[in-house]
């Protein structure tokens, strides 16, 4: 709710630091139990910052993160620790979060012991179970991280997240570092988890074709601001915001007789430390008017469950 995360802010009351980066600038959305919500945007749009802020892996500047009605940023450290197994994070590069000297089976199992979720002699069996769910086997348990391919490492990252039987997982670009053929396998693994376990996901990606397979609702971010939010059907069949239109126009369609008009955006994403006035998208928007340069468009519900921030919609 109204989530803000600013970096580089001076504590002085009298001096405003010009290099404050408003990585997330007042973003609100809800995720329903059991659904997979997609968060999409170019790099620097604030996606990862939102993911980390939600799980309290970093502090926030303002706003609330409500999980089952509790504001996570107001919980004590003990309360947060008790809740940790229920909310998990899957990283883009699981290798960076795996200790190279710890066998994969131990790395997956250690959280169970940390949180006293099972007896020591039960750990191996539980690790075996999740490895199997994730398409790995016994054989992999006593190997070290460097012995695995990128796709296998992501399976390990997923196994480590689900072994705690979480209610909610934030997956931050979990397939972006993988080859396309491997991406498909990991996306299939995510859909299997959706079907077989009642896990709620926040799935972060810069790639609209990836979220289309997995997400029931999607939010589109630009420079720390939500530009459009709606169901997959709404967004893909009838994108309303010019930025969503441009992103979608770059996604290939399998049917060659259907053609989307390609919208090429001018220039690069502006420096987040110095974002454009008015509508932050106006420097790249093909439809921008004078009004867009001065007036911030309100994020409005334009039809049921569909929100857009654009003067033209
Ligand atoms: Fe483009 Fe103006 Fe709409 Fe922003 S408000 S997306 S600049 S038309
Ligand atoms: Mg990121």
């Amino acid at each position: 709710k109204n989530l803000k995360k600013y970096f580089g802010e001076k504590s002085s009351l009298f001096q405003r630091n010009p290099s404050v980066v408003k990585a997330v600038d007042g973003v609100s959305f809800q995720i329903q139990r059991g659904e997979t919500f997609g968060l999409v945007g170019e790099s620097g749009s604030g996606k990862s910052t939102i993911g980390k802020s939600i799980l309290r892996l970093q502090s926030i500047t303002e706003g609330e993160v409500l999980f089952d009605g509790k504001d996570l940023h107001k919980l004590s450290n003990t309360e947060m620790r008790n809740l940790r197994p229920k909310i998990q994070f899957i990283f883009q590069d699981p290798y960076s979060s795996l200790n190279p000297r710890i066998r994969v089976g131990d790395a997956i199992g250690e959280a169970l012991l940390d949180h006293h979720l099972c007896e020591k002699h039960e750990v191996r069996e539980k690790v075996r179970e999740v490895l199997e769910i994730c398409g790995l086997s016994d054989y992999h348990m006593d190997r070290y991280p460097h012995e695995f391919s990128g796709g296998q490492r992501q399976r390990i990252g997923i196994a480590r997240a689900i072994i705690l039987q979480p209610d909610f997982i934030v997956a931050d670009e979990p397939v972006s570092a993988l080859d396309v053929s491997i991406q498909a396998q990991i996306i299939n693994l995510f859909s299997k988890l959706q079907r077989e376990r009642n896990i709620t996901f926040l799935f972060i990606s810069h790639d609209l074709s990836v979220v289309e397979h997995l997400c029931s609702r999607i939010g589109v971010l630009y420079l720390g601001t939500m530009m459009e939010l709606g169901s997959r059907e709404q967004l893909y069949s009838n994108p309303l915001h010019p930025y969503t239109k441009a992103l979608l126009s770059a996604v290939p369609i399998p049917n060659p007789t259907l053609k989307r008009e390609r919208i090429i955006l001018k220039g690069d994403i502006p420096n987040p430390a110095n974002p454009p006035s008015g509508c932050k998208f106006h420097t790249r928007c093909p439809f921008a008017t004078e009004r867009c340069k001065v007036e911030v468009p309100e994020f409005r519900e334009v039809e049921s469950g569909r929100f857009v921030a654009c003067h033209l919609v």
Side-chain angles (χ1 to χ4, degrees), residues 18-22 270-275:
S19 66
V20 163
V21 175
K22 299 182 174 180
N271 179 356
N274 187 18

Side-chain angles (χ1 to χ4, degrees), residues 126 145 150 160 186 213 277 280 290 295:
K126 296 215 185 267
R160 200 163 59 157
I186 300 295
H213 294 288
S277 59
K280 285 179 179 171
E290 283 306 311
E295 199 183 316

Side-chain angles (χ1 to χ4, degrees), residues 241-243 279-282 285-289 292 297 309-312:
H241 196 284
Y243 182 55
C279 173
K280 285 179 179 171
F281 187 55
H282 86 251
C285 181
F287 311 103
T289 63
C292 302
C310 173
H311 294 308
L312 290 188

Side-chain angles (χ1 to χ4, degrees), residues 208-229:
L208 270 171
S209 52
V210 167
V211 295
E212 184 176 9
H213 294 288
L214 293 169
C215 303
S216 51
R217 288 189 308 130
I218 295 155
V220 180
L221 280 174
Y222 187 78
L223 284 176
T225 301
M226 195 76 95
M227 293 290 164
E228 178 160 9
L229 189 163

Side-chain angles (χ1 to χ4, degrees), residues 81-130:
R81 194 182 144 74
N82 292 338
L83 196 64
R84 262 298 162 219
K86 292 284 149 217
I87 53 175
Q88 290 291 305
F89 202 86
I90 294 172
F91 297 89
Q92 173 172 352
D93 173 17
Y95 196 54
S96 62
S97 64
L98 288 169
N99 185 330
R101 282 184 295 274
I102 295 187
R103 287 177 222 268
V104 162
D106 296 335
I108 296 172
E110 72 185 349
L112 281 175
L113 293 172
D114 282 357
H115 291 285
H116 312 290
L117 292 175
C118 76
E119 300 295 328
K120 208 162 179 185
H121 68 272
E122 299 169 321
V123 173
R124 262 188 98 82
E125 190 46 41
K126 296 215 185 267
V127 172
R128 188 172 292 129
E129 250 169 59
V130 290

Side-chain angles (χ1 to χ4, degrees), residues 136-185:
L136 297 168
S137 70
D138 247 18
Y139 165 82
H140 299 103
M141 241 196 262
D142 296 313
R143 316 251 141 217
Y144 291 92
H146 74 266
E147 297 176 73
F148 292 87
S149 67
Q152 286 176 320
R153 279 178 205 151
Q154 197 48 285
R155 292 178 190 276
I156 294 165
I158 295 169
R160 200 163 59 157
I162 66 168
I163 200 168
L164 297 172
Q165 301 197 292
D167 290 329
F168 178 51
I169 295 179
V170 173
D172 188 5
E173 304 249 20
V175 302
S176 304
L178 306 173
D179 294 342
V180 174
S181 62
I182 311 292
Q183 281 193 357
Q185 297 172 10

Side-chain angles (χ1 to χ4, degrees), residues 43 47-49 92 172-173 204:
S43 66
K47 314 180 293 288
S48 301
T49 307
Q92 173 172 352
D172 188 5
E173 304 249 20
I204 296 173

